[in-house]
Each structure stands twice: as C-alpha cells, then as structure tokens.
Amino acid sequence: DAKHLVPNKMRDFFCTINLDQEEVFRTQVVEKSLSPYFGEEFYFEIPRTFQWLSFYIYDKSVLQKDLRIGKVSIKKEDLCNYTGKENWFMLQPVDSNSEVQGKVHLELKLNELITDNGSVCQQLVVHIKECHGLPLINGQNCDPYATVSLVGPSRNDQKKTKVKKKTSNPQFNETFYFEVTRSSSYTKKSQFQVEEEDIEKLEVRVDLWNNGNLVQDVFLGEIKVPVKVLRNDSFQAWYLLQPRENGNKSSKTDDLGSLRLNICYTEDCVLPSEYYASLRSLLLKSAEVQPVSASAAHILSEVCRDKYDAVLPLVRLLLHHHKLVPFVAAVAELDLKDTQEANTVFRGNSLATRCVDEMMKIVGKHYLKVTLKPVIDEICESPKPCEIDPIKLREGDNVEINMENLRYYVDKVFREIVRSSISCPTLMCDVFYSLRHLAAKRFPNDPHVQYSAVSSFVFLRFFAVAVVSPHTFHLRPHHPDAQTSRTLTLISKAIQTLGSWGSLTKSKLSSFKETFMCEFFKTFQEDKFTESVKKFLDDVSSTESKEPSGLSEPVHLKEGEMYKRAQGRTRIGKKNFKKRWFCLTSREFTYHKQQDKEPIFTIPIKNILAVEKLDESSFNKKNMFQILHGEKPLYIQANNCVEASEWIEALCRVTRCNQKRLSFYHPSAFLNGSWLCCKATAESTVGCARCTADVPADTQIEIDGDRETERIYSLFTMNMTKLQKLEEACGSIAVYQGPRKEPDDYSNFTIEDSVATFHTLKQIIDMVEKLGESHEKYRKKRSSSAKYGSE
C-alpha cells in the first residue's frame, strides 16, 4: 500500500513492478484515494540479468498519458537487505537521466606510436562492439547510437557511431582513435611518455542515446572507464550502463508519499548435479530414518527460524523424487503423538501440516482452477450484495435478499467442491489416505476423526483459503475490491463449517462466535450436506484408481493478451503483428480477436511439436517465442520477459509427453527464401539448434532438484551455529544420560534419539562444509577471470 501521495487530492492510482525499465506486473487501479491499498502479491522467476527492481506509482488518466508520481528503486545487490520483512520506502522523483538498463561491450587499448618527427606518443583505441538489453521507447525497440569521449580537465574529444534502427541489441563494431597528448610545458623533456598525473585525470566515457529524429534524443545510459586502468594493457569487458551522476538528484524536495513493500528475493548459485549427490541422498532417506526426528529433513525444519523457509524447497525436492508421501506420513505420526484430543488433529502449524499445505499448493493448482475458477469469476464479475452482519448493513440493504444471495453462492461453491473428487490429483489422495488412517489409529474410539483429519486440510487449508484469496492462487488476476472480499470471506467461513460437518454434530452450531452466522447455518441443517461431505472425503482419501472421464472439462491453464505475427505476410510493416487474446487449456491452444469471443485459430495440444524462444533479430522485436506444429510456425510476442518465460514454461509443461516432439528447431524465422539462423533455403530443412526440452517429463510440476538442494544447503549454512549447538546437545545427552545441562540452548529442539540425531548432524555438517569449499573454489575462479568493468 501507499500513503500521502501527491497531488493532495483524491485520484486513481496504480503501481507497476519493473525490472530496470521493463514493466513485468501492474496492479489494479485503486480509485479516489490518497493512501491506496493494493494488497497484491506477485511471484515470478527472473529470466534475465538486471540492475534495479523498481516500483512506480502512476496517476491514472482517461484522456492523457498516465502520470508517473514517483518510484522506489532498489539495486539488485541491496535486495537481500530488505527481503522477508515489510519496509516503508519514500517515493523518489522520476528523472529520465536515471532510467537506464542494458550493457555495452567495449575493447580498450593504449598504443605507443612514433610520429613523423620521431617522437613517441600514446594513442587510445576504443572499439565499441555491441550493446544488449536496451530499453523499449514508447513500447517499441529504440534507434540507438553511442557517443565515445575522452574526457580530461582541459579536453573533451567526442565521436559518434552510426544510428542502428529498431533494435535493443545493436551491433556497432566501430573503432575510434584518440591521441593522448601532453601539454606544451612538457615539450622540452627528451623522452615522451604519458605522465602519471595526466593519466589519473583522463577517462573514457560512452553515452548511449535513442535517436529522436524530429524530437529530442533520449538518454539511455553511460559508462566511464579511467584511462589509468589500461596502462599498457589491452582488454575487453561488458559494462553495465549507469545513470548520470545527477540522475537520482533532483531540485524537488517535495514529499511525494511513501510505498510499503514486502519483498522476498532469493538468488542461488547452483553447482553441477554431482556436487549435491550426498546431501540429496541424505535428505531423500529422511522417511526411512528411525525416529524421523533424527532425519536430515526434520533437523532442517528444527534449525530454521521460519519453518516455511525450510518447507518449500524440502517439499519440492521430495516431490521431484517421489518421496513426499512416506515423509509426510512419518512426520504426521510424530505430530499425532503430541495431539491429546481428536478435535484438534492437524490444526497447528507443524512440519506435517506445512508440508501438506505446500504440497496442495503445488500439486493442486490445476485442480483448484478447474473446480473453483468459473464460480469465483461469476462472484467477482457480477457481484451480488451478501452482507448479513446487522452491524455492517448499509441503509437500504435487505438482509433477507442478502442471505438468499449468500446462500446461492455457498450452494454453488459447495456443489462444485463435492463433485470434484474425480479431479483430485492422485498424490493428494495418497497423502489424505495416509493421514486418515494414522488419525484413526491414534484415536480408535472416535468415529469422526478419520474425516476431520482430511477436512482440516482439503476444506480449511485448501478450498476455503483459495476462496478468500483467489488472486494468491491465480484464480483471479488481482485482489478483489472491498465488497467482493467481504462476500468471499463469508463464503469461505461457510465452506469451512460445511466441510467440518463430516465430523461435527449439529449441536456445535451453538459455538459460532457470530450470531448472524449461526442463524444463516440453521438453513443448512440437512442430512444431505453431511452425507455429501462424507462421500467427498471418502473419495479424496481413497487409493483406488479413478477412471478418467472422457467428457470432463479441459483444465484452464493460462490466458492473456499478446501479439501474433500474421502468416505469409512480408517482413516489414506493423500490420504483420496483431493483438490477440490467447488461451491455453489441457486440450488446446487458441487465440481470439477479443476475450470471450470464439477462437480464430486452434492448435490441439497433441499437435504441438516444440515451443522455443525466437531470436530478436528475426523481426527486431523482444520477448518473442514460436510454437511449432503441423503448419507454419506461430510467432508470438509477449509483453515482457517474465510473461514470455511463463508462457513458454506452461506450453512446454503441457506438451512434454507429446509423442512427436522435435529434437531440433530453427531459432530464427524463415524470411525472404531462407532461414536467418543457418541460411538454409528449404523451408522444410531440419532445425539447426537442439530443442531445450525434448525429453518427456512430469506434466504436473516442473522442479529443478539441484536448485532446491542448493537452497537447503544455503539454509543449513545460515543456521550452522544452531546445527553445532544441537550436535553438542546430542553429545551431552548421549554421554551423561542425565538431566540436560544449559537447557536454553536446545530445549526447543526435538531430540528423541540423541545417538541417531548426532550421527545425522555430523553428516550434515561435513556435507555442508564440503559444499562450502566447492562454492569458494567457484567464487575464486570467477573473480580471478573477471576483468574491470565486467558484470
């Protein structure tokens, strides 16, 4: 959220998230506010290098261009200082001289030359090779050129490259020569050389500009290299473009307001897979360790201050290697040992409940979409008043009508859920089956506990949470407005209660905190609701294989607006690229003239042969990818790098098991009678580059096991002190077999078997130290090979 924004009058605001100058996400517009609450979450993988993560606040305009009020820019290196906590940031003025991105490739050399009169002078050679990742200007590729200057106290020699048209990655390949001369006061010296003090004051400056033609040129960034670093050496390096020195300074001192952000940023250096073999093997054996509290996975959750940090990579790693179900069963059994009453089964935030929560989010993503998205869309797009709290009713509201509306929505959501058991992923069913039987074994005299063990997850922690926060589960693009949020909250409460009826008696209605909810639920006291819940819970906690329904609705995976290239047109001209609405389901990929219109073109998923990036050089456009199918390739341009990456990933995931997938493709387009990449003249020529994903894989989830193991290694490294304390505690208990000494050091740890735990801890510490040495070798190798100015 933001507060005290200028101008000091009620306006309509929205916020964008930018990687350097590229907008990757935009919030919904908050109308008529000075302190707008956005309340939106965006999670994304960053597909390219960047310098700044920026947040811009805009004043929405209907007739004119949206006005940028201010920004918060955080340098990549500083993100770790703000991660994992909320911070208020003062908005800074938006200055065009500070809005830069991209990098430039230079080769610099200092030569000695003998002049006609026999004296020796030095010459600076600047070879500007290329630039990469320059920003779009007004949504289009820029027309860049560079100025190269040799700057000193009394000189400013400037030269200029040619303008390159419509490209963000210009290839200049131009060389400029500058004579490094001495002042006349030194001419009497017998030997010519560049004096130290002269070298100290000279620098090479390269400025990038967008050629404005009839309007003013736009500054794109600059780099400065002191000549003294060259001496008699020659080298080349990539330099990140920087803002002008006064770029972030402004004569304005007005308070533009502030923005509150909660940023979670992680960056992992992933080594080759063989480095992680021992740690990965130790983690995957966790379910087999007796007791499970002595396993590496359980120890990880013990030493991490926030269990969520440990659970996410752990669940993904175990999922990837098909080891999650036995591990969840083992930690759930440990959880049940400490549970004294049947009605509190799996209600806390233990390792077991966190693991199941995370598993449902990953595995049940498509299940949620196919079950809830249509009804959530109806509630959000055509909302009916549903407030039944007498205190919150507005003047003119009719509580009876509101109650009918709420009942209609609750019935519809409930009906969709209890009919959805056939769509429940097998992995979720296997986990629920284990939890159900473990709970029944722990409380054999309670006939309801087998249902509450499952409903506490599938209703309370899955469906009810998705209903109240549809944007978090990607069921809606944005956070719903206040009235719709209230409606969803009431529906969520109702779903939680109905889901508990499989294990609760009707007399429990008297325990409602809100009288109005108690009155509302009296209309639900029918046996059919209880029976529907029980049947649903029986179905989703069964290990019997479900017969796939040939008539089942396709799963809606992704949709959005992008640009497609018309088939068979000439290369030049904007008319070649048309804005279209794209939709991906588990059955087909379609595009439409507008949202909710009939599809213009359809590609069955089974016909897709490959999905790959397309070189920018093909059409001088960024963020392009291609879909190869039976006909000509379909070329598509996404709106930004994150969107392009997400579409490619979604399409690859759903087509991975296609039998006729290609192994090779053309990274560029076929234009003017030849492929731009390999110059082959036959359009049917086999591709010249290997496809990035030509091996069939799991179509449900895409997980990099090495990256998750690296994340776990990082967590162990950060908590090495706790690991060592826990090791000392286990040694103390094993040796003395008496009362624990200094209990504050380890009283919060679960130590059931000190010898087994000590053995695992020793292995973890040894493996982490060995991996640390490998990382250190990599860092030294990288730093020794890096040159001044390189990334």
Side-chain angles (χ1 to χ4, degrees), residues 344-363:
T344 60
V345 162
F346 303 130
R347 292 299 173 95
N349 277 326
S350 64
L351 176 59
T353 57
R354 288 285 185 94
C355 283
V356 178
D357 284 353
E358 202 55 48
M359 177 276 296
M360 292 190 298
K361 284 181 186 174
I362 298 169
V363 177

Side-chain angles (χ1 to χ4, degrees), residues 113-176:
L113 297 179
I114 300 176
T115 61
D116 294 340
N117 60 11
S119 61
V120 179
C121 69
Q122 287 193 307
Q123 182 187 61
L124 177 68
V125 183
V126 180
H127 179 192
I128 177 166
K129 295 190 171 187
E130 59 181 317
C131 291
H132 185 79
L134 298 181
L136 301 178
I137 303 295
N138 297 324
Q140 299 294 322
N141 280 332
C142 52
D143 295 338
Y145 69 89
T147 58
V148 183
S149 310
L150 182 62
V151 182
S154 58
R155 65 184 292 173
N156 187 358
D157 301 339
Q158 186 178 94
K159 301 183 180 183
K160 178 181 170 183
T161 69
K162 294 177 181 177
V163 176
K164 299 295 180 180
K165 292 289 185 180
K166 302 299 177 192
T167 177
S168 295
N169 302 319
Q171 303 282 330
F172 291 113
N173 280 320
E174 295 190 41
T175 304
F176 301 98

Side-chain angles (χ1 to χ4, degrees), residues 641-709:
C641 63
V642 172
E643 185 179 75
S645 178
E646 288 179 348
W647 271 104
I648 293 170
E649 182 187 355
L651 283 158
C652 284
R653 186 171 60 236
V654 79
T655 60
R656 280 282 171 86
C657 292
N658 286 0
Q659 296 298 314
K660 296 181 180 179
R661 281 191 63 88
L662 298 177
S663 296
F664 292 88
Y665 78 107
H666 290 283
S668 289
F670 185 83
L671 294 172
N672 302 325
S674 68
W675 291 101
L676 297 181
C677 42
C678 59
K679 309 305 178 188
T681 54
E683 196 167 358
S684 58
T685 304
V686 176
C688 55
R690 179 170 285 280
C691 288
T692 54
D694 59 349
V695 181
D698 186 351
T699 58
Q700 290 297 318
I701 46 178
E702 187 68 21
I703 293 172
D704 183 342
D706 293 337
R707 183 175 179 180
E708 304 307 333
T709 313

